[in-house]
Amino acid sequence: MLEKKMLINGEWVAAKSGKTREIIDPASGEILAIVPESDSEDAKLAIAAARKAFDQGTWRSTPAQARGKLLFKVAQAIMDKFEMFVELEVKDCGKPRREAEFDVNDAANCFEYYGGLATKIHGHTMQTPDGSVSMIVREPIGVCGQIVPWNYPLLMSTWKLAPALAAGNCVILKPSELTPLSALELGKIFTEVGFPPGVVNIITGPGAGAGEELSTNPHVDKVAFTGGTVTGRKVMGNATQNIKNITLELGGKNPILVFEDCNFESAVDWTLFAAFANQGEVCSAGSRLLVQKSIHRKFVDELVKRVPRIKLGHGLKDGVVMGPLVSSAHRDKVESYIQIGIKEGAKLLCGGKRPSGSEYEKGNFVEPTIFDNVDPKMRIAQEEIFGPVLAVIPFETEEEAIALANDTEYGLAAGVFTSNLTRGHRVINQLRAGITWINNYHPTYNEMPWGGYKQSGIGRELGLFGIEAYLETKQINIWMDDNPVGWY
Ligand code: NAD
């Protein structure tokens, strides 16, 4: 078993309290590692290190080209350790291998993308009525506290670190207490490729204590949070104490709208992927299927027929395409929602239970679950379950589908399936969601902005928006006349 340390000011350290936590493979129950359980004292040390590194200016005054090149090196190092990262992601959070492979590739691409963008940060000059020279320059925000969840440990850490570092900020990253291992491996890469001490700090531990310190401490200029909406509210409340810059990437209850004129085969395929990729532990998961009544029966029958193709198991086993839920506590939560759905009167079409067989006994597995005849007001239609549970709601008209799609507190993602692109576009234009798809679901790109409307968040990650989120804006006015102004 591996005993891990965390990264503060370029040193690998234990928690000041000496406390540790076991990190468990959710498919097998095996203990993978022991990591420090940091608290607010450790977070304060990491914040002080980042503050010093930022205020001394070593990183922010490093030429953009050099910052970019270091990020390219991080990308290359991730690819050099590709198999190690894949296995770690599978074992740490339970995803199937092919999804972990996608994540590791995407993480390397993300560092490369922001390495390239480091040299494209630029301001403007403005014409002024009095002839002075006015410039707008972009500067890093400063010290950024970055808090991420457990469902995409490497990718979520990357989405935070790459743009912040490209822009010249110094950071403290806190991965989820459940899945810190790939972030610690990233930390090793940062020290190996030559990031100065204090520029990247990675602390492991829970939200209470370490996470709260990042969102309240006055020496942190920005807090960037990805996680549940309930936690997001707390983080936002804490950050108001000293008016921190804030980005929130929160939960979703995302609709898939399937019209009778869709390409049936393709829509069935994408719907299963939308609902069950990464065990449904995806903020943008299509968890509400709104399907037109004329094809409702046929569509749902086909979904149910195909569900047995979804092979559950340890993500490193051949043929496995769905892993366990991240923890037994999370499985309890998902199972309680399944019971709520049954009590609310929804019709359970498949799943709803743990798979049987010895290979599943030690893991947190739940079968892919589909509820039909869901009333839009039911809790399983309104609340984020964050597991492999799809709620099917039939509709008659386009107007009804749009109203149903918008009828939750969330506004993260949505997908529309129709052969009529005019309709597709018309419908998407009326959906209150930040990430949308027509005739596909889930593809996402480092170059495109990611984030939600309504209570799914504030701000955007990725693309040009992602680097904007880590930049301040300063105006510089240079007076060009040597004569006294003669005001008094
Ligand atoms: P969570 O909110 O429980 O925890 C997220 C992170 O916040 C963890 O690192 C946790 O330790 C920390 N935290 C907890 N309490 C805190 C506090 N009081 N102050 C500061 N930090 C605190 O979420 P989770 O269960 O880890 O992840 C699942 C959630 O994340 C889902 O709701 C999902 O939709 C959301 N998510 C959103 C996106 C997105 O891009 N919008 C992406 C992935 C996941």
mmCIF file of all heavy atoms in Angstrom, residues 56-97:
data_model
loop_
_atom_site.group_PDB
_atom_site.id
_atom_site.type_symbol
_atom_site.label_atom_id
_atom_site.label_comp_id
_atom_site.label_asym_id
_atom_site.label_seq_id
_atom_site.Cartn_x
_atom_site.Cartn_y
_atom_site.Cartn_z
ATOM 1 N N GLN A 56 5.977 37.516 -4.945
ATOM 2 C CA GLN A 56 7.370 37.672 -5.387
ATOM 3 C C GLN A 56 7.456 37.829 -6.905
ATOM 4 O O GLN A 56 8.452 38.303 -7.431
ATOM 5 C CB GLN A 56 8.210 36.466 -4.961
ATOM 6 C CG GLN A 56 8.573 36.515 -3.486
ATOM 7 C CD GLN A 56 9.337 35.289 -3.057
ATOM 8 O OE1 GLN A 56 9.349 34.260 -3.738
ATOM 9 N NE2 GLN A 56 9.971 35.381 -1.901
ATOM 10 N N GLY A 57 6.445 37.395 -7.586
ATOM 11 C CA GLY A 57 6.345 37.668 -9.024
ATOM 12 C C GLY A 57 7.079 36.710 -9.933
ATOM 13 O O GLY A 57 7.081 36.883 -11.141
ATOM 14 N N THR A 58 7.710 35.665 -9.368
ATOM 15 C CA THR A 58 8.506 34.763 -10.213
ATOM 16 C C THR A 58 7.671 34.178 -11.353
ATOM 17 O O THR A 58 8.100 34.161 -12.492
ATOM 18 C CB THR A 58 9.039 33.573 -9.376
ATOM 19 O OG1 THR A 58 9.178 33.999 -8.043
ATOM 20 C CG2 THR A 58 10.309 33.006 -9.927
ATOM 21 N N TRP A 59 6.493 33.709 -11.015
ATOM 22 C CA TRP A 59 5.695 33.019 -12.035
ATOM 23 C C TRP A 59 4.974 34.003 -12.948
ATOM 24 O O TRP A 59 5.006 33.883 -14.161
ATOM 25 C CB TRP A 59 4.694 32.074 -11.365
ATOM 26 C CG TRP A 59 3.849 31.300 -12.325
ATOM 27 C CD1 TRP A 59 2.495 31.371 -12.456
ATOM 28 C CD2 TRP A 59 4.306 30.354 -13.302
ATOM 29 N NE1 TRP A 59 2.068 30.526 -13.435
ATOM 30 C CE2 TRP A 59 3.156 29.878 -13.984
ATOM 31 C CE3 TRP A 59 5.563 29.866 -13.670
ATOM 32 C CZ2 TRP A 59 3.227 28.948 -15.004
ATOM 33 C CZ3 TRP A 59 5.635 28.927 -14.696
ATOM 34 C CH2 TRP A 59 4.475 28.483 -15.344
ATOM 35 N N ARG A 60 4.365 35.033 -12.338
ATOM 36 C CA ARG A 60 3.580 35.929 -13.202
ATOM 37 C C ARG A 60 4.480 36.725 -14.124
ATOM 38 O O ARG A 60 4.063 37.159 -15.192
ATOM 39 C CB ARG A 60 2.645 36.822 -12.389
ATOM 40 C CG ARG A 60 3.281 37.931 -11.595
ATOM 41 C CD ARG A 60 2.224 38.612 -10.721
ATOM 42 N NE ARG A 60 2.772 38.955 -9.443
ATOM 43 C CZ ARG A 60 3.128 40.187 -9.106
ATOM 44 N NH1 ARG A 60 2.959 41.180 -9.942
ATOM 45 N NH2 ARG A 60 3.638 40.431 -7.918
ATOM 46 N N SER A 61 5.782 36.943 -13.719
ATOM 47 C CA SER A 61 6.668 37.664 -14.635
ATOM 48 C C SER A 61 7.514 36.711 -15.489
ATOM 49 O O SER A 61 8.327 37.151 -16.288
ATOM 50 C CB SER A 61 7.546 38.651 -13.869
ATOM 51 O OG SER A 61 8.216 37.961 -12.836
ATOM 52 N N THR A 62 7.315 35.428 -15.340
ATOM 53 C CA THR A 62 7.942 34.479 -16.278
ATOM 54 C C THR A 62 7.342 34.748 -17.655
ATOM 55 O O THR A 62 6.116 34.871 -17.783
ATOM 56 C CB THR A 62 7.610 33.023 -15.854
ATOM 57 O OG1 THR A 62 8.159 32.804 -14.574
ATOM 58 C CG2 THR A 62 8.154 31.990 -16.819
ATOM 59 N N PRO A 63 8.179 34.906 -18.703
ATOM 60 C CA PRO A 63 7.596 35.190 -20.024
ATOM 61 C C PRO A 63 6.525 34.161 -20.404
ATOM 62 O O PRO A 63 6.656 32.972 -20.100
ATOM 63 C CB PRO A 63 8.801 35.108 -20.960
ATOM 64 C CG PRO A 63 9.982 35.360 -20.081
ATOM 65 C CD PRO A 63 9.630 34.831 -18.726
ATOM 66 N N ALA A 64 5.485 34.654 -21.062
ATOM 67 C CA ALA A 64 4.362 33.782 -21.428
ATOM 68 C C ALA A 64 4.847 32.568 -22.216
ATOM 69 O O ALA A 64 4.329 31.458 -22.053
ATOM 70 C CB ALA A 64 3.342 34.578 -22.231
ATOM 71 N N GLN A 65 5.856 32.801 -23.073
ATOM 72 C CA GLN A 65 6.372 31.665 -23.871
ATOM 73 C C GLN A 65 6.898 30.559 -22.968
ATOM 74 O O GLN A 65 6.671 29.379 -23.196
ATOM 75 C CB GLN A 65 7.530 32.152 -24.726
ATOM 76 C CG GLN A 65 7.144 32.422 -26.146
ATOM 77 C CD GLN A 65 8.375 32.712 -26.991
ATOM 78 O OE1 GLN A 65 9.497 32.767 -26.500
ATOM 79 N NE2 GLN A 65 8.121 32.895 -28.274
ATOM 80 N N ALA A 66 7.618 30.968 -21.925
ATOM 81 C CA ALA A 66 8.204 29.973 -21.005
ATOM 82 C C ALA A 66 7.102 29.285 -20.208
ATOM 83 O O ALA A 66 7.158 28.063 -19.974
ATOM 84 C CB ALA A 66 9.207 30.657 -20.082
ATOM 85 N N ARG A 67 6.088 30.064 -19.798
ATOM 86 C CA ARG A 67 4.964 29.429 -19.078
ATOM 87 C C ARG A 67 4.284 28.401 -19.987
ATOM 88 O O ARG A 67 3.972 27.287 -19.570
ATOM 89 C CB ARG A 67 3.926 30.490 -18.659
ATOM 90 C CG ARG A 67 4.366 31.401 -17.546
ATOM 91 C CD ARG A 67 3.163 31.981 -16.787
ATOM 92 N NE ARG A 67 2.187 32.638 -17.628
ATOM 93 C CZ ARG A 67 2.181 33.937 -17.928
ATOM 94 N NH1 ARG A 67 3.134 34.732 -17.439
ATOM 95 N NH2 ARG A 67 1.244 34.447 -18.697
ATOM 96 N N GLY A 68 4.076 28.807 -21.227
ATOM 97 C CA GLY A 68 3.431 27.907 -22.193
ATOM 98 C C GLY A 68 4.249 26.636 -22.388
ATOM 99 O O GLY A 68 3.704 25.527 -22.393
ATOM 100 N N LYS A 69 5.576 26.810 -22.504
ATOM 101 C CA LYS A 69 6.418 25.625 -22.758
ATOM 102 C C LYS A 69 6.355 24.651 -21.580
ATOM 103 O O LYS A 69 6.375 23.433 -21.764
ATOM 104 C CB LYS A 69 7.859 26.056 -23.025
ATOM 105 C CG LYS A 69 8.041 26.502 -24.463
ATOM 106 C CD LYS A 69 9.477 26.796 -24.789
ATOM 107 C CE LYS A 69 9.572 27.308 -26.225
ATOM 108 N NZ LYS A 69 10.763 28.115 -26.460
ATOM 109 N N LEU A 70 6.300 25.200 -20.365
ATOM 110 C CA LEU A 70 6.194 24.301 -19.203
ATOM 111 C C LEU A 70 4.876 23.526 -19.243
ATOM 112 O O LEU A 70 4.828 22.346 -18.899
ATOM 113 C CB LEU A 70 6.289 25.100 -17.902
ATOM 114 C CG LEU A 70 7.692 25.336 -17.341
ATOM 115 C CD1 LEU A 70 7.600 26.061 -16.003
ATOM 116 C CD2 LEU A 70 8.437 24.015 -17.150
ATOM 117 N N LEU A 71 3.822 24.209 -19.682
ATOM 118 C CA LEU A 71 2.536 23.495 -19.774
ATOM 119 C C LEU A 71 2.589 22.419 -20.864
ATOM 120 O O LEU A 71 2.000 21.343 -20.711
ATOM 121 C CB LEU A 71 1.386 24.483 -20.011
ATOM 122 C CG LEU A 71 1.096 25.403 -18.819
ATOM 123 C CD1 LEU A 71 0.043 26.436 -19.157
ATOM 124 C CD2 LEU A 71 0.625 24.603 -17.598
ATOM 125 N N PHE A 72 3.301 22.707 -21.954
ATOM 126 C CA PHE A 72 3.484 21.644 -22.972
ATOM 127 C C PHE A 72 4.199 20.446 -22.354
ATOM 128 O O PHE A 72 3.897 19.292 -22.653
ATOM 129 C CB PHE A 72 4.322 22.152 -24.161
ATOM 130 C CG PHE A 72 3.642 23.197 -25.003
ATOM 131 C CD1 PHE A 72 4.376 24.175 -25.661
ATOM 132 C CD2 PHE A 72 2.263 23.203 -25.166
ATOM 133 C CE1 PHE A 72 3.753 25.144 -26.438
ATOM 134 C CE2 PHE A 72 1.626 24.163 -25.952
ATOM 135 C CZ PHE A 72 2.380 25.138 -26.583
ATOM 136 N N LYS A 73 5.185 20.743 -21.496
ATOM 137 C CA LYS A 73 5.916 19.631 -20.856
ATOM 138 C C LYS A 73 4.988 18.817 -19.957
ATOM 139 O O LYS A 73 5.120 17.602 -19.855
ATOM 140 C CB LYS A 73 7.091 20.170 -20.029
ATOM 141 C CG LYS A 73 8.263 20.601 -20.874
ATOM 142 C CD LYS A 73 9.461 20.889 -19.994
ATOM 143 C CE LYS A 73 10.627 21.388 -20.846
ATOM 144 N NZ LYS A 73 11.729 21.879 -20.030
ATOM 145 N N VAL A 74 4.073 19.508 -19.277
ATOM 146 C CA VAL A 74 3.111 18.779 -18.433
ATOM 147 C C VAL A 74 2.274 17.850 -19.323
ATOM 148 O O VAL A 74 2.072 16.666 -19.004
ATOM 149 C CB VAL A 74 2.190 19.760 -17.656
ATOM 150 C CG1 VAL A 74 1.096 18.998 -16.911
ATOM 151 C CG2 VAL A 74 3.009 20.608 -16.689
ATOM 152 N N ALA A 75 1.820 18.387 -20.473
ATOM 153 C CA ALA A 75 1.004 17.575 -21.399
ATOM 154 C C ALA A 75 1.782 16.331 -21.827
ATOM 155 O O ALA A 75 1.255 15.206 -21.807
ATOM 156 C CB ALA A 75 0.613 18.414 -22.616
ATOM 157 N N GLN A 76 3.055 16.541 -22.191
ATOM 158 C CA GLN A 76 3.873 15.418 -22.658
ATOM 159 C C GLN A 76 4.079 14.399 -21.541
ATOM 160 O O GLN A 76 3.988 13.178 -21.766
ATOM 161 C CB GLN A 76 5.230 15.942 -23.161
ATOM 162 C CG GLN A 76 6.103 14.873 -23.787
ATOM 163 C CD GLN A 76 5.408 14.131 -24.926
ATOM 164 O OE1 GLN A 76 4.880 14.750 -25.853
ATOM 165 N NE2 GLN A 76 5.369 12.792 -24.857
ATOM 166 N N ALA A 77 4.318 14.904 -20.328
ATOM 167 C CA ALA A 77 4.569 13.988 -19.201
ATOM 168 C C ALA A 77 3.321 13.148 -18.900
ATOM 169 O O ALA A 77 3.428 11.973 -18.527
ATOM 170 C CB ALA A 77 4.995 14.783 -17.967
ATOM 171 N N ILE A 78 2.135 13.752 -19.071
ATOM 172 C CA ILE A 78 0.900 12.975 -18.860
ATOM 173 C C ILE A 78 0.846 11.843 -19.886
ATOM 174 O O ILE A 78 0.550 10.687 -19.552
ATOM 175 C CB ILE A 78 -0.350 13.880 -18.978
ATOM 176 C CG1 ILE A 78 -0.400 14.852 -17.797
ATOM 177 C CG2 ILE A 78 -1.630 13.049 -19.041
ATOM 178 C CD1 ILE A 78 -1.501 15.899 -17.889
ATOM 179 N N MET A 79 1.170 12.161 -21.136
ATOM 180 C CA MET A 79 1.122 11.117 -22.171
ATOM 181 C C MET A 79 2.202 10.061 -21.922
ATOM 182 O O MET A 79 1.983 8.874 -22.185
ATOM 183 C CB MET A 79 1.264 11.732 -23.572
ATOM 184 C CG MET A 79 0.063 12.558 -23.989
ATOM 185 S SD MET A 79 -1.533 11.744 -23.710
ATOM 186 C CE MET A 79 -1.594 10.607 -25.081
ATOM 187 N N ASP A 80 3.364 10.484 -21.405
ATOM 188 C CA ASP A 80 4.429 9.507 -21.091
ATOM 189 C C ASP A 80 3.978 8.540 -20.000
ATOM 190 O O ASP A 80 4.444 7.415 -19.923
ATOM 191 C CB ASP A 80 5.705 10.226 -20.610
ATOM 192 C CG ASP A 80 6.376 11.010 -21.729
ATOM 193 O OD1 ASP A 80 6.024 10.789 -22.899
ATOM 194 O OD2 ASP A 80 7.225 11.873 -21.417
ATOM 195 N N LYS A 81 3.079 9.040 -19.117
ATOM 196 C CA LYS A 81 2.606 8.191 -18.014
ATOM 197 C C LYS A 81 1.157 7.755 -18.261
ATOM 198 O O LYS A 81 0.393 7.552 -17.308
ATOM 199 C CB LYS A 81 2.680 8.981 -16.703
ATOM 200 C CG LYS A 81 4.084 9.416 -16.322
ATOM 201 C CD LYS A 81 4.071 10.196 -15.013
ATOM 202 C CE LYS A 81 5.499 10.519 -14.581
ATOM 203 N NZ LYS A 81 5.552 11.188 -13.284
ATOM 204 N N PHE A 82 0.781 7.653 -19.536
ATOM 205 C CA PHE A 82 -0.615 7.424 -19.923
ATOM 206 C C PHE A 82 -1.239 6.240 -19.182
ATOM 207 O O PHE A 82 -2.275 6.366 -18.532
ATOM 208 C CB PHE A 82 -0.673 7.205 -21.443
ATOM 209 C CG PHE A 82 -2.065 7.083 -21.989
ATOM 210 C CD1 PHE A 82 -2.814 8.208 -22.288
ATOM 211 C CD2 PHE A 82 -2.643 5.830 -22.213
ATOM 212 C CE1 PHE A 82 -4.101 8.104 -22.788
ATOM 213 C CE2 PHE A 82 -3.930 5.714 -22.702
ATOM 214 C CZ PHE A 82 -4.652 6.855 -22.996
ATOM 215 N N GLU A 83 -0.580 5.090 -19.244
ATOM 216 C CA GLU A 83 -1.170 3.874 -18.672
ATOM 217 C C GLU A 83 -1.308 3.992 -17.156
ATOM 218 O O GLU A 83 -2.309 3.555 -16.577
ATOM 219 C CB GLU A 83 -0.309 2.658 -19.065
ATOM 220 C CG GLU A 83 -0.902 1.316 -18.699
ATOM 221 C CD GLU A 83 -2.342 1.078 -19.196
ATOM 222 O OE1 GLU A 83 -2.729 1.617 -20.255
ATOM 223 O OE2 GLU A 83 -3.090 0.363 -18.490
ATOM 224 N N MET A 84 -0.322 4.633 -16.524
ATOM 225 C CA MET A 84 -0.399 4.814 -15.061
ATOM 226 C C MET A 84 -1.623 5.657 -14.706
ATOM 227 O O MET A 84 -2.391 5.307 -13.802
ATOM 228 C CB MET A 84 0.890 5.489 -14.570
ATOM 229 C CG MET A 84 0.976 5.695 -13.082
ATOM 230 S SD MET A 84 0.203 7.211 -12.523
ATOM 231 C CE MET A 84 1.292 8.448 -13.173
ATOM 232 N N PHE A 85 -1.824 6.763 -15.456
ATOM 233 C CA PHE A 85 -2.978 7.620 -15.156
ATOM 234 C C PHE A 85 -4.296 6.880 -15.433
ATOM 235 O O PHE A 85 -5.255 7.015 -14.668
ATOM 236 C CB PHE A 85 -2.922 8.917 -15.978
ATOM 237 C CG PHE A 85 -2.118 10.006 -15.322
ATOM 238 C CD1 PHE A 85 -0.921 10.441 -15.875
ATOM 239 C CD2 PHE A 85 -2.546 10.602 -14.141
ATOM 240 C CE1 PHE A 85 -0.174 11.440 -15.266
ATOM 241 C CE2 PHE A 85 -1.805 11.599 -13.519
ATOM 242 C CZ PHE A 85 -0.615 12.021 -14.084
ATOM 243 N N VAL A 86 -4.344 6.110 -16.518
ATOM 244 C CA VAL A 86 -5.575 5.377 -16.837
ATOM 245 C C VAL A 86 -5.931 4.438 -15.688
ATOM 246 O O VAL A 86 -7.059 4.444 -15.177
ATOM 247 C CB VAL A 86 -5.427 4.590 -18.168
ATOM 248 C CG1 VAL A 86 -6.574 3.614 -18.354
ATOM 249 C CG2 VAL A 86 -5.357 5.556 -19.361
ATOM 250 N N GLU A 87 -4.957 3.658 -15.249
ATOM 251 C CA GLU A 87 -5.233 2.683 -14.177
ATOM 252 C C GLU A 87 -5.633 3.369 -12.872
ATOM 253 O O GLU A 87 -6.531 2.909 -12.160
ATOM 254 C CB GLU A 87 -4.014 1.792 -13.956
ATOM 255 C CG GLU A 87 -3.873 0.785 -15.070
ATOM 256 C CD GLU A 87 -2.855 -0.302 -14.760
ATOM 257 O OE1 GLU A 87 -2.470 -0.460 -13.582
ATOM 258 O OE2 GLU A 87 -2.451 -0.980 -15.716
ATOM 259 N N LEU A 88 -4.968 4.498 -12.616
ATOM 260 C CA LEU A 88 -5.274 5.234 -11.389
ATOM 261 C C LEU A 88 -6.707 5.761 -11.413
ATOM 262 O O LEU A 88 -7.443 5.656 -10.416
ATOM 263 C CB LEU A 88 -4.289 6.408 -11.275
ATOM 264 C CG LEU A 88 -3.882 6.853 -9.891
ATOM 265 C CD1 LEU A 88 -3.423 5.688 -9.044
ATOM 266 C CD2 LEU A 88 -2.763 7.894 -10.014
ATOM 267 N N GLU A 89 -7.121 6.327 -12.546
ATOM 268 C CA GLU A 89 -8.476 6.872 -12.637
ATOM 269 C C GLU A 89 -9.517 5.764 -12.504
ATOM 270 O O GLU A 89 -10.539 5.933 -11.833
ATOM 271 C CB GLU A 89 -8.680 7.623 -13.970
ATOM 272 C CG GLU A 89 -7.982 8.959 -14.035
ATOM 273 C CD GLU A 89 -8.481 9.973 -13.018
ATOM 274 O OE1 GLU A 89 -8.017 9.916 -11.866
ATOM 275 O OE2 GLU A 89 -9.311 10.827 -13.360
ATOM 276 N N VAL A 90 -9.239 4.610 -13.146
ATOM 277 C CA VAL A 90 -10.175 3.490 -13.053
ATOM 278 C C VAL A 90 -10.291 3.032 -11.603
ATOM 279 O O VAL A 90 -11.395 2.866 -11.071
ATOM 280 C CB VAL A 90 -9.717 2.310 -13.949
ATOM 281 C CG1 VAL A 90 -10.566 1.070 -13.671
ATOM 282 C CG2 VAL A 90 -9.799 2.679 -15.417
ATOM 283 N N LYS A 91 -9.142 2.861 -10.953
ATOM 284 C CA LYS A 91 -9.172 2.296 -9.599
ATOM 285 C C LYS A 91 -9.678 3.302 -8.576
ATOM 286 O O LYS A 91 -10.318 2.942 -7.601
ATOM 287 C CB LYS A 91 -7.769 1.842 -9.195
ATOM 288 C CG LYS A 91 -7.316 0.578 -9.899
ATOM 289 C CD LYS A 91 -5.959 0.203 -9.351
ATOM 290 C CE LYS A 91 -5.485 -1.127 -9.856
ATOM 291 N NZ LYS A 91 -4.130 -1.398 -9.414
ATOM 292 N N ASP A 92 -9.357 4.572 -8.787
ATOM 293 C CA ASP A 92 -9.690 5.570 -7.776
ATOM 294 C C ASP A 92 -11.173 5.925 -7.799
ATOM 295 O O ASP A 92 -11.800 6.069 -6.752
ATOM 296 C CB ASP A 92 -8.841 6.828 -8.019
ATOM 297 C CG ASP A 92 -8.673 7.666 -6.774
ATOM 298 O OD1 ASP A 92 -9.141 7.233 -5.703
ATOM 299 O OD2 ASP A 92 -8.074 8.747 -6.860
ATOM 300 N N CYS A 93 -11.740 6.076 -9.006
ATOM 301 C CA CYS A 93 -13.148 6.513 -8.995
ATOM 302 C C CYS A 93 -14.091 5.527 -9.668
ATOM 303 O O CYS A 93 -15.300 5.779 -9.716
ATOM 304 C CB CYS A 93 -13.296 7.913 -9.573
ATOM 305 S SG CYS A 93 -12.942 8.049 -11.289
ATOM 306 N N GLY A 94 -13.567 4.432 -10.230
ATOM 307 C CA GLY A 94 -14.457 3.359 -10.663
ATOM 308 C C GLY A 94 -14.916 3.424 -12.101
ATOM 309 O O GLY A 94 -15.811 2.681 -12.498
ATOM 310 N N LYS A 95 -14.280 4.304 -12.902
ATOM 311 C CA LYS A 95 -14.791 4.390 -14.275
ATOM 312 C C LYS A 95 -14.228 3.264 -15.147
ATOM 313 O O LYS A 95 -13.175 2.696 -14.832
ATOM 314 C CB LYS A 95 -14.511 5.755 -14.873
ATOM 315 C CG LYS A 95 -13.059 6.178 -14.916
ATOM 316 C CD LYS A 95 -12.926 7.574 -15.492
ATOM 317 C CE LYS A 95 -13.492 8.649 -14.621
ATOM 318 N NZ LYS A 95 -14.054 9.769 -15.251
ATOM 319 N N PRO A 96 -14.897 2.942 -16.265
ATOM 320 C CA PRO A 96 -14.360 1.927 -17.164
ATOM 321 C C PRO A 96 -13.150 2.447 -17.941
ATOM 322 O O PRO A 96 -13.035 3.645 -18.184
ATOM 323 C CB PRO A 96 -15.529 1.632 -18.110
ATOM 324 C CG PRO A 96 -16.465 2.768 -17.975
ATOM 325 C CD PRO A 96 -16.227 3.414 -16.658
ATOM 326 N N ARG A 97 -12.269 1.505 -18.313
ATOM 327 C CA ARG A 97 -11.001 1.870 -18.950
ATOM 328 C C ARG A 97 -11.159 2.819 -20.131
ATOM 329 O O ARG A 97 -10.462 3.825 -20.227
ATOM 330 C CB ARG A 97 -10.269 0.603 -19.412
ATOM 331 C CG ARG A 97 -9.056 0.875 -20.278
ATOM 332 C CD ARG A 97 -8.458 -0.398 -20.807
ATOM 333 N NE ARG A 97 -7.548 -0.988 -19.846
ATOM 334 C CZ ARG A 97 -6.288 -0.558 -19.655
ATOM 335 N NH1 ARG A 97 -5.798 0.429 -20.354
ATOM 336 N NH2 ARG A 97 -5.531 -1.145 -18.770
#
